[in-house]
Amino acid sequence: MIAAAVVLRPDGQPIEGLRDSKDMTARQRESVAGVIRREALAWTLGAASVREIDRINIRRATALAMQRAVARLPLAPDKLLVDGVPVPELGAEHEALVGGDALSQSIAAASVLAKCARDHLMILLARKYPAFQWDSNKGYGTADHIAAIGEAGPTPHHRRSFSPVVQLRLF
């Protein structure tokens, strides 16, 4: 799980091409990510490991990754915005915006940086574990990915709580 925190300039122009990361191609995300990194006052990443996800669940691990990202910011944001629902575990006052990627440049920027970081990680893992095609499916449970789990078994990077892994009953 990777989360990002981004502090944009309060008087800055909107970042051209920035929108919900899910509506952008990988090339568009990478291009916009470069602009975000150059123009943001601050940006950081936070992560939660596969073991943490298995131990505390995906929602709480997401909150943990968000906490870590915010804690690493070298400056405090004027206002903390999160996409979706409130995250009490953040331990900081924040505003939750459902559909935040479409409503806030900061949320969209954080989404792009987190997605780019995750995609880069999946490409690196694909080199070590080519059977899982992580360079193309980015870890999502495609039919080929699930078939590879059945054939090759899970890697240390698979969540033990991931349904196809649970169904194998290896753990």
Side-chain angles (χ1 to χ4, degrees):
M1 170 55 59
I2 298 177
V6 177
V7 180
L8 296 176
R9 299 178 187 283
D11 58 349
Q13 294 290 337
I15 296 173
E16 187 175 334
L18 178 59
R19 59 188 183 280
D20 187 333
S21 65
K22 294 179 290 300
D23 295 335
M24 301 170 73
T25 65
R27 182 174 290 172
Q28 290 169 329
R29 282 191 300 271
E30 287 296 330
S31 176
V32 170
V35 175
I36 294 165
R37 290 184 198 106
R38 284 191 307 274
E39 293 188 8
L41 291 175
W43 65 272
T44 61
L45 298 172
S49 71
V50 167
R51 286 187 181 141
E52 288 171 318
I53 294 168
D54 282 338
R55 191 176 77 247
I56 63 176
N57 78 40
I58 190 73
R59 189 198 64 74
R60 289 176 55 207
T62 300
L64 181 60
M66 293 167 74
Q67 278 179 315
R68 290 172 174 164
V70 171
R72 290 184 177 129
L73 284 170
L75 56 93
D78 292 335
K79 186 176 192 176
L80 191 57
L81 302 174
V82 299
D83 187 27
V85 298
V87 183
E89 298 92 340
L90 272 178
E93 187 176 330
H94 62 281
E95 181 179 350
L97 301 173
V98 175
D101 297 72
L103 303 172
S104 164
Q105 285 265 300
S106 294
I107 291 174
S111 174
V112 166
L113 293 186
K115 176 83 169 119
C116 286
R118 184 179 183 283
D119 286 356
H120 285 253
L121 175 61
M122 298 314 296
I123 289 167
L124 291 174
L125 288 174
R127 293 178 187 152
K128 188 170 182 178
Y129 303 99
F132 297 97
Q133 302 174 15
W134 281 332
D135 52 336
S136 61
N137 66 40
K138 304 297 188 274
Y140 294 105
T142 64
D144 288 341
H145 183 153
I146 292 168
I149 293 170
E151 293 168 15
T155 72
H157 306 284
H158 282 97
R159 291 181 283 126
R160 301 303 183 239
S161 57
F162 181 48
S163 175
V165 173
V166 171
Q167 291 172 3
L168 290 174
R169 298 179 188 189
L170 298 175
F171 303 99

